[in-house]
Amino acid sequence: MALTIGVDVGGTKIASGVVDDDGRILERSLRHTPADNPEKVAVTIADAVSELAGRHEVEAVGVGAAGFVDETRSNVRFAPNLAWREEPLQKKVSELVGLPVVVENDANAMAWGEYRFGAGRGETHVVCVTVGTGIGGGAVFGGELYRGRWGMGAEWGHMQVIPDGRPCGCGHRGCWEKYASGSSLLIDARASAEADPSSAVHLLELAGSVDVLRGEHVTEAARKGDRAALDAFDSLAEWLAQGLADLAAILDPGRYIIGGGVSAAADLFMDKVRVAYAERLTGRGHRPLAEIRVAELGPSAGLVGAADLARQR
């Protein structure tokens, strides 16, 4: 049984695990991300890998990195939430741990994990959309991970859907993720609560103030029937469906997989996404409908996918 280590590097935590060739995690490790210091990030990754490798015979390491990874799967060109700028992460970690290392974008790693071991099994054309604070993505076509010419493809969240719309952290305005993500959910719920507090009684009880509103408040209030929270989820569903329909016109996948933190509340919006997607699909009535499924591997998808990509290297 070939074992590899997968590492999922986010802005606040570094999750590592030993993964077998069936996608099972045999042991895990969790560390804080020293996000403002690239050298310390590499050392922290290496420490976690070395600790796990000391108890398991592993053959390679896959690192899922929250940033733009180049076409060689070696360097992180840019990361919005870490201090990586043209960072030779593969070389640094490999030298520290003495093992082959593959670096991949974290959303690509998640897509591969779901394709191999989760909600994408059995489908050859899979598009993943991670709905969290923003929107990330990944795609597998014909059994191959789609990366683009420079390794930076599948950044669905930064398709412009409204010219001169809401400002985005990427520096542009009107990106899809500003209307169909966890941050947009908060924007819409807050606006409704401020305009009509009577529509947000539970929401305001839970949060105390719209200024400290969090995603879990919106989810809980929606389940209690607050109109403001339900309207925010309806808006998210409409925008998510529109983006998926646009992606269908370009990529024609057989299955979409919706992951990320917001997918934990899928019962509040996924049925509406499926209906709205079918209504917005170009050529509707004359083409098959892609399945839209919720991710199965949860927060472990990136770790598992990175480990398997290292095995496939």
Side-chain angles (χ1 to χ4, degrees):
M1 179 173 62
L3 300 181
T4 53
I5 291 175
V7 184
D8 188 3
V9 185
T12 59
K13 68 181 186 301
I14 296 173
S16 308
V18 179
V19 182
D20 70 12
D21 48 14
D22 290 321
R24 293 175 299 205
I25 301 174
L26 306 183
E27 185 180 353
R28 299 174 185 264
S29 172
L30 188 65
R31 283 169 163 75
H32 170 72
T33 305
D36 59 348
N37 189 317
E39 296 298 328
K40 287 184 178 179
V41 172
V43 170
T44 302
I45 294 170
D47 285 347
V49 168
S50 297
E51 178 186 332
L52 293 170
R55 291 192 287 273
H56 302 269
E57 187 173 346
V58 300
E59 63 178 29
V61 179
V63 179
F68 289 169
V69 178
D70 72 2
E71 69 275 20
T72 69
R73 297 196 294 174
S74 302
N75 307 301
V76 184
R77 293 197 174 277
F78 170 78
N81 297 312
L82 294 100
W84 282 332
R85 301 294 185 271
E86 305 299 335
E87 175 67 10
L89 188 62
Q90 185 273 339
K91 181 174 184 291
K92 286 183 178 180
V93 175
S94 184
E95 288 177 350
L96 288 168
V97 302
L99 289 166
V101 174
V102 169
V103 180
E104 185 56 82
N105 170 266
D106 60 341
N108 284 351
M110 173 266 181
W112 185 257
E114 288 288 341
Y115 164 73
R116 288 274 288 137
F117 307 108
R121 286 173 296 180
E123 174 54 58
T124 58
H125 290 69
V126 175
V127 166
C128 289
V129 179
T130 58
V131 185
T133 303
I135 288 180
V140 179
F141 300 132
E144 296 290 332
L145 183 64
Y146 174 76
R147 306 184 73 254
R149 172 62 181 88
W150 311 112
M152 301 177 193
E155 291 290 344
W156 327 128
H158 297 291
M159 300 186 298
Q160 189 184 56
V161 295
I162 296 185
D164 298 320
R166 293 172 178 171
C168 182
C170 73
H172 296 293
R173 303 180 71 93
C175 292
W176 186 30
E177 71 173 41
K178 301 312 296 182
Y179 300 89
S181 66
S183 60
S184 72
L185 193 71
L186 291 176
I187 290 170
D188 292 338
R190 185 178 291 117
S192 293
E194 289 176 336
D196 181 10
S198 67
S199 71
V201 174
H202 293 299
L203 193 63
L204 294 172
E205 285 177 351
L206 290 164
S209 166
V210 292
D211 297 329
V212 293
L213 195 63
R214 299 196 304 271
E216 55 264 36
H217 297 145
V218 183
T219 299
E220 187 173 346
R223 293 200 168 114
K224 290 181 176 180
D226 264 21
R227 188 71 258 157
L230 289 168
D231 285 349
F233 272 107
D234 285 350
S235 177
L236 181 144
E238 293 286 336
W239 277 110
L240 189 56
Q242 182 62 62
L244 297 183
D246 290 344
L247 287 175
I250 303 166
L251 301 173
D252 191 29
R255 186 176 301 163
Y256 292 101
I257 299 172
I258 309 301
V262 177
S263 69
D267 59 299
L268 292 170
F269 67 90
M270 196 61 74
D271 286 345
K272 292 184 176 69
V273 169
R274 294 185 179 103
V275 171
Y277 167 76
E279 292 172 347
R280 287 160 173 71
L281 192 62
T282 302
R284 64 186 182 277
H286 301 282
R287 61 187 295 171
L289 281 177
E291 294 180 276
I292 303 175
R293 294 188 181 182
V294 180
E296 293 179 4
L297 301 183
S300 298
L303 186 160
V304 170
D308 197 63
L309 287 167
R311 184 178 293 106
Q312 306 282 339
R313 72 194 188 284

